[in-house]
Amino acid sequence: MGEVGYTRLTIEAIASRAGVGKQTIYRWWPSKAAVLLDAFLDTPTGEAESLPDTGDLAADLKSVLRATVDEFTDPGFEAPYRAIAVAAADDAELARQFAERLQEPGLAVYARRLRAEQEAGRIDPDVDVRLAVELLLGPVQQRWLNRSGPLTHEFTDQLVDLTLRALEPRRPG
Amino acid sequence: MGEVGYTRLTIEAIASRAGVGKQTIYRWWPSKAAVLLDAFLDTPTGEAESLPDTGDLAADLKSVLRATVDEFTDPGFEAPYRAIAVAAADDAELARQFAERLQEPGLAVYARRLRAEQEAGRIDPDVDVRLAVELLLGPVQQRWLNRSGPLTHEFTDQLVDLTLRALEPRRPG
C-alpha cells in the first residue's frame, strides 16, 4: 500500500508479499479494504484509551485535535485511512465494521472525558455528550473526507471553542 | 442509474440511452460520477435560495434538517448522491467540483440566514457563522456517509438545539 497506493494495490500483491496464495487471502477477507481495516486495527495509531488530562478541557481537546489533523494531512496515514473510509462509504457491511471497530472506540474516548466533566459540573447536565462528540468531530471528518476546507490548527482550535460554548452550564435565570 | 444502480451503471449505457457514442460522453465527462454530478445539478433538489423564515430560527432549522434526512434516507435520492460522495472522497478533482458546485451553495444558504440572525442580535457577534454551519451539518453528513448512527428527526432536532446553544449571545457579566 505504501509502495503503490490504494488504487493499484491488489489482493495478488498482498498474497504474494505474505507468501500465501490469493485464495488464502479471500478466505479471510472479502476485499482489499477489509485487509486494510484489519491492518489498521493492528497498528498503533496514537489513539489512546483516554484523552490527555491537564485539567483544562479546552486545551486537552485542542491538543488532541491538532494531532488528529496532523495525522490526517500526513500522506502515509491519509492514503490508507481514506481508502478504508471510501470503501466503507460504498459498502454497508464494511461501514458497520469501520464504525464499530475504528470510529466508535475513538468517539468513546471523547465521550468518557466529556461525561467526567459533566459529572464535575463543568458541562451542563442537559447536554447529550455523545451528540456533543459528533458536533466536535463531524466537521473535522467532513473537511477531511470532502476536502471542503483547510484542516488547520486554527480550524480545530475554533471548533473546540465553539463546541464548548454549547456545553457550558446554564446560569440560573 | 435508477434502473440498475450505480455499480452496474456504465458509460456505454448512458451513451446508448442518450443516443450517442461512448466517445462523445468521454469527451465531456471523465467518469460516470462526473456525469451524475452534472445530472444532479440539473435536477431540482428542493434546495432553495434561502431557508424558510417563520421568525423562529430553531423551528426553521429543524424543519429543513428533517426534510434533509428524509431525502437522505430515500433510496432514490440516496443512491446517486452517495455514488457522487464516494467518488468525490476518492478523487481530489471531483471533490473540488462536488464542494464548489453542490456543497458550498447548500452551506451558503444556512450561513446567510445565520448572518441575518447575527445582525439582528440573536446570535453572538463573536461566532463565526460559517463554522457554525459546519457544526450543524458535519454530524448529519458523518452519520449518513459512515452509516454511524440513525438519521432520525429526533437526532436532527437535538442537533439544532445543541448547536444553537453555542450561538447564543453572551449575557454581560
Side-chain angles (χ1 to χ4, degrees):
Chain A
M1 165 79 218
E3 289 164 25
V4 298
Y6 179 71
T7 306
R8 283 184 291 168
L9 179 68
T10 61
I11 292 278
E12 284 85 344
I14 295 169
S16 151
R17 190 65 63 89
V20 300
K22 195 168 120 175
Q23 288 316 314
T24 303
I25 304 291
Y26 277 121
R27 196 170 307 141
W28 296 97
W29 294 279
S31 63
K32 64 181 175 180
V35 177
L36 284 180
L37 180 62
D38 276 349
F40 250 78
L41 289 163
D42 275 351
T43 309
T45 61
E47 292 278 22
E49 289 299 296
S50 58
L51 295 189
D53 190 352
T54 65
D56 179 341
L57 176 63
D60 293 341
L61 292 175
K62 285 175 187 178
S63 92
V64 172
L65 285 184
R66 283 174 174 222
T68 301
V69 297
D70 288 349
E71 216 171 39
F72 276 85
T73 50
D74 167 359
F77 175 91
E78 212 267 348
Y81 199 75
R82 180 176 293 275
I84 293 171
V86 168
D90 201 31
D91 175 331
E93 167 54 23
L94 195 64
R96 200 188 55 73
Q97 289 189 37
F98 178 68
E100 197 175 294
R101 298 174 60 196
L102 263 180
Q103 287 214 303
E104 276 304 319
L107 299 188
V109 168
Y110 289 87
R112 272 197 300 277
R113 174 63 183 277
L114 294 187
R115 202 160 288 121
E117 296 281 332
Q118 195 173 41
E119 280 158 14
R122 291 187 293 268
I123 285 180
D124 195 283
D126 287 343
V127 165
D128 176 339
V129 298
R130 183 59 177 68
L131 186 62
V133 175
E134 294 184 55
L135 224 60
L136 191 65
L137 300 182
V140 177
Q141 162 169 320
Q142 186 169 37
R143 282 200 181 195
W144 172 65
L145 205 51
N146 298 337
R147 301 181 177 89
S148 56
L151 280 176
T152 59
H153 291 180
E154 189 192 5
F155 162 62
T156 51
D157 285 0
Q158 289 175 347
L159 182 61
V160 168
D161 288 333
L162 188 56
T163 301
L164 289 182
R165 287 177 62 115
L167 310 188
E168 286 172 8
R170 292 283 168 91
R171 289 179 296 178
Chain B
M1 165 78 219
E3 289 164 25
V4 299
Y6 180 71
T7 307
R8 284 184 292 166
L9 179 69
T10 61
I11 292 280
E12 285 85 345
I14 293 169
S16 152
R17 189 65 63 90
V20 300
K22 196 168 119 174
Q23 288 315 313
T24 303
I25 304 291
Y26 277 122
R27 197 170 307 139
W28 296 98
W29 293 278
S31 64
K32 64 181 176 180
V35 177
L36 284 181
L37 180 62
D38 276 349
F40 249 78
L41 290 163
D42 275 351
T43 308
T45 61
E47 291 279 21
E49 289 299 297
S50 58
L51 294 189
D53 189 352
T54 65
D56 178 340
L57 177 63
D60 292 342
L61 292 174
K62 285 175 187 179
S63 92
V64 172
L65 285 184
R66 283 175 173 221
T68 301
V69 297
D70 288 348
E71 217 171 38
F72 276 85
T73 50
D74 167 0
F77 175 91
E78 213 265 346
Y81 200 74
R82 179 176 294 275
I84 294 172
V86 167
D90 200 32
D91 174 332
E93 168 52 25
L94 194 63
R96 199 187 56 73
Q97 289 188 37
F98 178 68
E100 199 175 291
R101 298 174 61 197
L102 263 179
Q103 287 215 302
E104 275 306 318
L107 299 188
V109 168
Y110 288 89
R112 272 198 301 278
R113 172 64 182 277
L114 294 187
R115 202 160 287 120
E117 296 281 333
Q118 196 172 41
E119 280 157 14
R122 292 187 292 267
I123 287 180
D124 197 283
D126 287 343
V127 164
D128 176 340
V129 298
R130 182 60 176 68
L131 186 62
V133 175
E134 294 185 57
L135 225 60
L136 190 65
L137 300 182
V140 176
Q141 163 167 320
Q142 186 169 38
R143 282 200 181 195
W144 172 65
L145 205 51
N146 298 339
R147 299 183 179 87
S148 56
L151 280 177
T152 59
H153 291 181
E154 189 191 4
F155 162 61
T156 52
D157 285 359
Q158 289 175 346
L159 181 61
V160 168
D161 287 334
L162 188 55
T163 301
L164 289 182
R165 288 177 64 115
L167 310 189
E168 286 172 8
R170 292 283 168 92
R171 288 180 297 179

